[in-house]
Structure formats: C-alpha cells, structure tokens
Amino acid sequence: MDKDVEKIIKEAQEKLEKIADLKLLDQTYIELFGKNSHLNKLTKQISNLPKDKRPKAGQTINKAKKQLEKLFKETKSRLITHHSSLINPIDISAPGKKDEIGHLHLVSQAIEEIVEIFSRLGFYLQSYPEIDWEWYVFESLNMPKNHPARDEWETFFVKSDPHAKYGGQVLTPHTSNGQVREMEKTKTPPIRMINISRCYRRQIDISHTPMFHQFEGLLIDKNISIPDLRGTFDFFTKSFFGPDRVTRLRPHHFRFTEPSFEVDVICDICKGEGCRICKSGWLELGGAGMVHPKVLKAGNIDPQKYSGFAFGWGIERTIAMKTGLGDIRLLYQNDIRFLEQF
Ligand SMILES: [Zn+2]
C-alpha cells in the first residue's frame, strides 16, 4: 500500500509541474481525486485487507490525499499569478505615480497668516469657549438682559440650567466673550490678545454661514487711544491684503465699545472709485472701537487708569476680500476642484 501511494504522489507531482494551463489543471483534479482515480481504487481495497491492517491503510491514504490537495493548490496559485501577470504586465519603463500632496484649508492658511502678522505687534493667541454663559457673551459686554441689541446676534441658545449670575448658555455669536475672560485671567494689563474661534449665528447666504471664524483683537494698556487702533489696522491690512490697501473708520454703534467704528478696506478692483463688487469703493472688514468703560469694569480693570481698543472680524470675510471669492459657502463644500486652486 505504501509503495502504491508513493508512486501516485510522485506521478502527480511530475504531472502538476508540467501543467501550464488552468483548464488542464481542472482535468487533472478529476484524474487525482475522481471516481476512477488510483487513490479511490486504493480506498476501495481497504475493505479487503485483514481487520488489523485497515486503520493504518486508511491513515496512509488520508495523508496522501492531503498531500495531493496541497500540491494541487500550489499549482493553481502558480498558474493564476502567471495568468494575471500576462493580462496586466508591469511596465518598468512607465513613469511612477506620485502621491498627491494636499495643503492646509484656506481658513487654516488665513488663521496662520493673521496670527503671524499680529505676533509681530506683540499680540499673543488665546482661545475661549465656543459655548459660553450669557453673562460673558452679553451682560459683561454692556448688553443687559432684555436689551434689544442682543437681537442682532441671531443667537443659538443651548438647553441648560441657568446660573444665578451667568444666566443660560449660548453658542458664541462672536469672539468678544473672550474680552472679559482675558481681563479676569490677566488681572493687570497690558493685554495684547488675538482670540480666534468658531462663532455661530442663525444666518446663511452668499456672505454668511451659520458657523464661521472670527478673530478678535484686544489691546489694553495705559494711554491707548484711537491712533493706536488706526496704526494697528493699517499694519494688518497692508501686511495681509497688500501695501496699497488703505483702511478707513466709519462711526458706528456697538454696545461694548465707545466710540465705535466699522472698518473698511479700499476695494482692490476699483481702488476706491466704486465698482460692481464694492459699490462705494470700500469693503467692510468688521467692527472695532475703544473698549467701553463698563466692559473694563466687568473685567475688574480701572477705566481711569487703563484704556484699550478691540476689534472683531470674520476670517471667511477677509479671505473673500483677499481672493475675490464671491460666495463664502464654497469654503465649506469640500469640493476638491475649488480647494485645489489655492
Ligand atoms: Zn470696487
């Protein structure tokens, strides 16, 4: 029996080595394991053997079957590999495929640039909660409860148990909640903070998204006046938008600054003449002003000793003004064809 088995395996091995075709391999399978195979004939002979020799003979045949199956599988995988290499030959002379390299999102690029520009003036980066107490968002900024000025902020309120002093919680509609928080933290000026954070308002159109980024500057020290504010804006706009972009201040009203201004940057397209994009020759950058004494008091800073200015501008808006982007919603559509252009 052992010799017969050895012979079967040897013959199968020689046959399988020569096979170069998957169809032929299928035929060989029948020859090896089918009804008329040598192996099957041997199996049938087991019952003719004396009882005590049957178990060993059974074991020998099973072992041989396993060995043949292994040989068969090896041959099959060799043929498949060879076959696919014929269909998809590797062209070693073809140029390699390079991995595509991405870049930071426009908003992240702008944040990095803004932080760098203000750091040259001694400002440091700070960030404060995006969900904050009403007191930091409104009351501490001179907007008492039930004051109509609160309505302008289109606030998202968060379900929470109200605090006796701080009130309820809101998604911050601006970054000015960081003003009094920074005063509380620093205790004694000077303060030169840039606070960059996500803000949330119920608004959506080509120049507004419900979530946007704002950067807020707060400078408090002795003898700070409007010319310091102007100089800071000029430095920023010339560094960020280009040396020929001048700013102007328009009187405005905010509850937390006095006096208050809207800051405009001259239009890059018409250079102040007035065009389809800007209409008046100027583009609005954002709000600014001298910090209101009541806000300083809310942050435990003596308004007799110290003064300062604050400003809050949208990152997306500055990107739109710099790049000529007509619809800021494009920034959040994750369209690679758009993002690749920057
Ligand atoms: Zn213009």
Side-chain angles (χ1 to χ4, degrees), residues 267 270 275 278:
C267 173
C270 65
C275 71
C278 66

Side-chain angles (χ1 to χ4, degrees), residues 230 233-234 236-238 240-242 244-250 262-272 278 280-286 313 317-318 321-322:
R230 279 221 65 141
F233 295 168
D234 276 342
F236 170 73
T237 42
K238 284 183 164 56
F240 189 80
F241 295 109
D244 57 339
R245 304 291 289 277
V246 290
T247 54
R248 73 170 183 189
L249 301 182
R250 255 184 308 120
E262 292 270 32
V263 184
D264 294 337
V265 179
I266 201 161
C267 173
D268 195 31
I269 298 164
C270 65
K271 313 286 178 205
C278 66
S280 65
W282 297 83
L283 294 160
E284 185 194 318
L285 185 59
W313 302 335
R317 181 187 287 266
T318 56
M321 286 166 69
K322 191 176 185 176

Side-chain angles (χ1 to χ4, degrees), residues 35-225:
K35 214 168 140 190
N36 298 319
S37 63
H38 294 305
L39 210 60
N40 205 30
K41 281 175 190 162
L42 277 180
T43 311
K44 279 179 184 165
Q45 286 170 19
I46 292 178
S47 56
N48 302 330
L49 292 173
K51 251 189 182 176
D52 59 326
K53 288 192 176 167
R54 285 180 205 167
K56 198 176 173 284
Q59 280 170 14
T60 310
I61 288 172
N62 276 339
K63 215 174 140 188
K65 254 187 195 166
K66 277 183 187 160
Q67 212 173 335
L68 286 176
E69 272 164 10
K70 194 175 165 235
L71 279 171
F72 183 82
K73 273 185 192 163
E74 282 168 4
T75 311
K76 193 168 184 177
S77 77
R78 168 174 64 81
L79 290 178
I80 288 170
T81 313
H82 179 68
H83 187 66
S84 67
S85 74
L86 290 176
I87 294 169
N88 301 308
I90 297 166
D91 180 359
I92 54 161
S93 65
K97 270 188 197 165
K98 274 188 188 163
D99 286 338
E100 286 189 33
I101 297 172
H103 61 70
L104 286 176
H105 189 274
L106 260 80
V107 172
S108 305
Q109 287 181 29
I111 288 174
E112 282 197 349
E113 193 178 349
I114 289 163
V115 171
E116 193 279 320
I117 291 168
F118 280 102
S119 73
R120 283 189 253 153
L121 296 174
F123 283 82
Y124 52 86
L125 183 65
Q126 198 56 278
S127 52
Y128 283 108
E130 289 172 28
I131 300 175
D132 209 350
W133 299 105
E134 279 180 274
W135 190 83
Y136 284 106
V137 175
F138 296 121
E139 278 105 298
S140 72
L141 299 171
N142 197 25
M143 286 182 269
K145 274 201 167 69
N146 303 319
H147 195 283
R150 291 188 177 212
D151 294 346
E152 293 167 19
W153 299 102
E154 302 279 352
T155 311
F156 288 109
F157 288 87
V158 177
K159 258 191 185 174
S160 58
D161 293 330
H163 184 280
K165 179 186 173 186
Y166 296 115
Q169 290 186 325
V170 295
L171 295 183
T172 50
H174 50 62
T175 38
S176 303
N177 65 314
Q179 288 193 14
V180 168
R181 282 186 174 276
E182 182 64 15
M183 292 177 208
E184 286 176 343
K185 192 178 161 194
T186 314
K187 292 191 177 80
T188 316
I191 290 172
R192 283 181 182 221
M193 169 188 78
I194 284 286
N195 170 19
I196 299 183
S197 182
R198 277 180 286 266
C199 299
Y200 306 85
R201 291 181 202 170
R202 288 186 295 113
Q203 52 183 20
I204 187 155
D205 57 46
I206 58 163
S207 49
H208 297 92
T209 48
M211 186 286 295
F212 61 102
H213 294 75
Q214 208 170 47
F215 66 107
E216 168 122 356
L218 177 70
L219 188 144
I220 298 171
D221 208 342
K222 285 176 180 159
N223 306 314
I224 298 298
S225 58

